[in-house]
Amino acid sequence: MLEFFQKASPFHLSVVTVSKPGILDTAKVVAGFREFFPDDSFEALPIRLFLTATDITNARLKFFESGPLISAILASCSMPLVFTPTEVDGRWYVDGGVLNNFPVEPLRGRCDVVVGHYASPLRSVRQADLSGFLAVSERALEVGMYFNSKQKFHECDVMLTCPPLTAFGLFDTRHHREIFELGRQMTLDGIDSIKRALDAVA
C-alpha cells in the first residue's frame, strides 16, 4: 500500500484538467494503477472485495464486486470537486462516501466477525483554518461522512479508530509513511480484540 502511494499517487500536475468537472482527471491516473493491478479484475484478487461509489446523476449507491477493478477503485474514491467523476458503463460515479462512507451492508450475513476501521477521525479546526474553498469543502465532507458513518459503528464486532490521524488532512500527500505506520500500529493494537471476537464464534 505504501509503495502504491509513493509510485502511483494521483496528486501530480500532469493530471490537472481545466475542461472537466474537477481539478484532477481520474482518466489520467489509470496507467499508474496497472502496475499494481495487472489483471484489472475483481476475480483475480485473493480475497473478495466490495467497493462503493455514488451514481451522481441518478443519486444511487453502487456496489462493485466483479468485473474490471481499476475503474471501480477510481469510481469509489473520486471525491467531488477534487477528482473528475469516473465513467463506468456510461454512468458517472463519484466517491461512495457521499452516500455511504462506512459500507457494512455487503458483509452482513457473509462474515462471522466484522472488523470496522474508520480512518478519518473528525478533526478539531478553527475558523481561521477554513480560509479557502478546498478547506471548506474538505471540512464539509469530513463532517458529513463522520456522522453518517458513526451511526453504523455498533454493527461491527470490533471497531478500530486512530485519533492521531487527525494531524493529517484528507489530501495530505507528504506524509504517506507516517500515515501508513499509524494505521499499521493501530491494527496491531487491535489484534487481541479481534482474536477475542473470533474465539467467541469458534
Side-chain angles (χ1 to χ4, degrees), residues 46-200:
I47 298 175
R48 191 170 185 185
L49 173 68
F50 296 91
L51 295 172
T52 60
T54 302
D55 179 339
I56 195 65
T57 304
N58 298 295
R60 294 176 180 172
L61 189 69
K62 168 73 173 180
F63 288 97
F64 291 96
E65 57 180 299
S66 63
L69 176 64
I70 295 174
S71 59
I73 293 174
L74 290 173
S76 74
C77 60
S78 294
M79 190 169 288
L81 300 179
V82 179
F83 293 97
T84 61
T86 298
E87 185 172 345
V88 181
D89 295 332
R91 297 183 183 275
W92 274 12
Y93 291 96
V94 298
D95 196 318
V98 171
L99 291 179
N100 188 346
N101 196 47
F102 200 73
V104 297
E105 293 82 359
L107 305 181
R108 292 172 181 161
R110 289 188 169 102
C111 300
D112 294 324
V113 172
V114 175
V115 178
H117 173 201
Y118 196 74
S120 302
L122 193 61
R123 297 177 296 153
S124 296
V125 300
R126 302 167 302 165
Q127 187 168 314
D129 297 326
L130 307 177
S131 58
F133 85 93
L134 188 58
V136 172
S137 299
E138 179 181 355
R139 181 60 175 175
L141 285 168
E142 279 182 342
V143 171
M145 291 191 297
Y146 174 75
F147 283 99
N148 284 331
S149 300
K150 188 178 179 181
Q151 297 177 31
K152 293 189 287 185
F153 287 178
H154 71 278
E155 297 188 40
C156 300
D157 299 287
V158 179
M159 187 65 212
L160 304 178
T161 60
C162 187
L165 285 175
T166 57
F168 307 97
L170 285 175
F171 307 115
D172 193 310
T173 61
R174 296 178 297 172
H175 301 95
H176 294 150
R177 183 170 295 280
E178 292 94 325
I179 293 170
F180 176 85
E181 289 300 334
L182 281 172
R184 177 177 176 275
Q185 188 58 53
M186 176 204 62
T187 304
L188 291 175
D189 291 343
I191 289 295
D192 287 342
S193 295
I194 295 171
K195 287 181 177 178
R196 285 195 295 270
L198 290 170
D199 289 341

